[in-house]
Amino acid sequence: METNENAFKFFEAELEHAKQQATTERRPAVTLTYAQSLDGFLALPNGPFELSGPESLVLTHTLRATHDCILVGVSTVIKDNPLLNVRLFSFPNQQLISQQFHHPRPVILDSKLRLPLDARILSRNPIVFTLANSVRSERRFALESKGAEILEIGEDFDFGGLNLESVLNILFSRFDCRSLMVEGGASVIRSFLAKRTFVNQLVVTISPIFLGNGIHIMELNQVEHESISLSD
């Protein structure tokens, strides 16, 4: 569809500018994207809620097609068992497909190596980051034999979890990743918002609904309306 092709060209242009900036810092340009309700909730307390409509899903897949890698947390893999490929994006121009279209390589943050051995994402040779010295050798071997590439890194002692700066630096230097799309889940989104200097583009889909309760974009008991400055 012409709309998809135009969207692809738009995001390519925006990403190219972001990649030029990020290259000086030796890390990929990061696009953080998620859907939320009007009151900032990502899901209901007992599970996901469909916040994205058909147009939003096409947008998501358009974004995927413009990035080298796509990152999620292991909880998202366990809950949704996604492939993280591009399916809802088509071009009438076959030359454009062959030259620019691709499926982004999956990246999984998995501090305790909980990635299921039957996860569909293993068929796409994901890069898996886990905490150093916390991996059982037999578990690592089993996942690697299924297609995962596992890297042990240090902890972020300020915010907890994996060190995002190490993740970005390794993706840039070892995997030649120049653009990274971050899709979720909630803890991953919060981590990147906390380290917002790592984020080059923020794409938020807001559903016209109030949920009132559930998983919020920010941990309400820890956040005191801290302002976030966005520049052109």
Side-chain angles (χ1 to χ4, degrees):
M1 292 182 293
E2 184 179 356
T3 302
N4 285 347
E5 187 170 342
N6 290 338
F8 185 89
K9 292 176 179 178
F10 170 78
F11 287 120
E12 278 279 292
E14 291 295 310
L15 263 182
E16 190 59 36
H17 176 68
K19 285 191 284 187
Q20 290 174 2
Q21 292 181 314
T23 297
T24 62
E25 301 176 9
R26 306 291 297 173
R27 61 171 178 80
V30 173
T31 300
L32 177 61
T33 177
Y34 57 89
Q36 68 168 59
S37 63
L38 284 170
D39 47 352
F41 288 96
L42 305 175
L44 292 170
N46 57 350
F49 181 85
E50 190 61 60
L51 292 168
S52 300
E55 296 86 355
S56 177
L57 290 174
V58 171
L59 172 63
T60 295
H61 284 247
T62 301
L63 284 168
R64 289 180 181 180
T66 63
H67 289 76
D68 296 328
C69 296
I70 181 169
L71 183 149
V72 298
V74 69
S75 294
T76 295
V77 178
I78 293 172
K79 292 176 184 177
D80 301 337
N81 197 19
L83 280 170
L84 301 179
N85 58 5
V86 181
R87 302 181 303 280
L88 304 178
F89 196 37
S90 61
F91 300 101
N93 186 331
Q94 293 300 317
Q95 184 178 6
L96 183 62
I97 296 175
S98 62
Q99 291 181 353
Q100 296 177 285
F101 173 79
H102 63 275
H103 297 289
R105 186 170 183 186
V107 179
I108 303 170
L109 302 186
D110 185 1
S111 59
K112 298 180 180 179
L113 217 56
R114 297 187 294 131
L115 182 63
L117 292 174
D118 60 351
R120 296 194 300 164
I121 201 70
L122 288 169
S123 66
R124 302 198 54 231
N125 305 114
I127 302 164
V128 181
F129 288 95
T130 191
L131 279 178
N133 303 317
S134 66
V135 180
R136 303 192 311 273
S137 57
E138 63 273 16
R139 179 68 176 174
R140 176 171 184 153
F141 177 79
L143 286 168
E144 288 177 334
S145 67
K146 294 279 189 176
E149 186 165 355
I150 298 173
L151 300 168
E152 297 184 35
I153 62 173
E155 183 178 359
D156 186 323
F157 294 104
D158 292 327
F159 294 94
L162 295 166
N163 188 302
L164 294 183
E165 185 172 7
S166 295
V167 169
L168 297 177
N169 290 342
I170 291 171
L171 288 175
F172 183 94
S173 60
R174 180 166 173 175
F175 298 98
D176 196 32
C177 175
R178 296 298 184 263
S179 55
L180 175 68
M181 180 174 173
V182 178
E183 275 200 18
S187 61
V188 171
I189 293 169
R190 291 173 187 145
S191 295
F192 272 91
L193 287 174
K195 298 279 189 178
R196 53 184 165 272
T197 55
F198 294 160
V199 178
N200 300 90
Q201 298 184 99
L202 180 63
V203 180
V204 183
T205 300
I206 301 178
S207 179
I209 188 172
F210 289 94
L211 292 184
N213 192 16
I215 300 174
H216 201 271
I217 183 59
M218 303 300 254
E219 294 178 285
L220 297 180
N221 61 334
Q222 296 182 11
V223 177
E224 297 181 357
H225 303 291
E226 185 177 1
S227 63
I228 298 177
S229 175
L230 298 176
S231 59
D232 292 339

